[in-house]
């Protein structure tokens, strides 16, 4: 599996994506439509129109990962923006989205600072 460092950003493609796309297709979407470098080490997230399937594209330094998830019930609560745009989210938000939590209903507590864990 892959690990995400503190400098890793998560970019969400807000429009619908054809889930038949593989490595080259998603690589092209990141490069051409999101205007990002697919080999940057950041995470790129795509979903179909119904928001029941998603794919993640990630470069780990030696190759591209494409991970997919299909929901049997329900839908992912996807961020809204104009088609062809991307939204940046934190890694905690990615975890919440993948676990079915509606990000529009969650909020950060007042006075809470997001700092890395230090032992």
């Amino acid at each position: 599996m892959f690990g995400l460092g503190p400098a890793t950003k998560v970019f969400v493609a807000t429009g619908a994506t054809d889930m038949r796309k593989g490595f080259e297709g998603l690589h092209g979407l990141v490069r051409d439509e999101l205007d990002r470098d697919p080999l940057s080490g950041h995470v790129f997230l795509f979903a179909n129109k119904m928001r029941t399937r998603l794919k993640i594209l990630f470069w780990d330094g030696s190759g591209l990962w494409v991970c997919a998830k299909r929901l049997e019930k329900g839908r992912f609560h996807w961020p809204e923006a104009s088609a062809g745009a991307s939204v940046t989210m934190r890694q905690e938000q990615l975890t919440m989205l993948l676990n079915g939590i509606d990000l529009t209903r969650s909020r950060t507590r007042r006075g809470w600072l997001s700092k890395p864990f230090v032992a």
Side-chain angles (χ1 to χ4, degrees):
M1 210 50 208
F2 56 86
L4 303 179
T8 304
K9 295 180 182 176
V10 179
F11 294 98
V12 181
T14 56
T17 301
D18 182 353
M19 289 290 109
R20 295 174 291 183
K21 291 188 183 296
F23 292 97
E24 288 78 17
L26 296 174
H27 184 280
L29 285 177
V30 170
R31 186 189 61 231
D32 300 335
E33 292 189 19
L34 301 181
D35 198 28
R36 303 283 179 192
D37 179 13
L39 307 181
S40 63
H42 298 304
V43 173
F44 301 94
L45 194 59
F46 304 91
N48 65 343
K49 185 177 182 178
M50 298 298 293
R51 304 295 189 237
T52 57
R53 297 173 185 236
L54 64 78
K55 284 192 176 181
I56 295 174
L57 182 72
F58 175 72
W59 172 260
D60 71 356
S62 64
L64 281 172
W65 285 82
V66 173
C67 304
K69 183 170 184 174
R70 180 186 73 196
L71 294 178
E72 296 300 323
K73 293 182 182 178
R75 295 181 180 187
F76 292 105
H77 296 279
W78 213 250
E80 296 293 328
S82 60
S86 68
V87 172
T88 306
M89 68 172 49
R90 296 188 321 267
Q91 293 175 25
E92 310 87 62
Q93 292 171 311
L94 172 62
T95 302
M96 291 168 52
L97 182 127
L98 293 176
N99 285 297
I101 297 172
D102 184 353
L103 298 175
T104 60
R105 294 181 181 216
S106 66
R107 60 185 171 85
T108 304
R109 291 180 16 210
R110 188 173 44 170
W112 179 264
L113 298 175
S114 180
K115 293 185 179 180
F117 176 76
V118 179

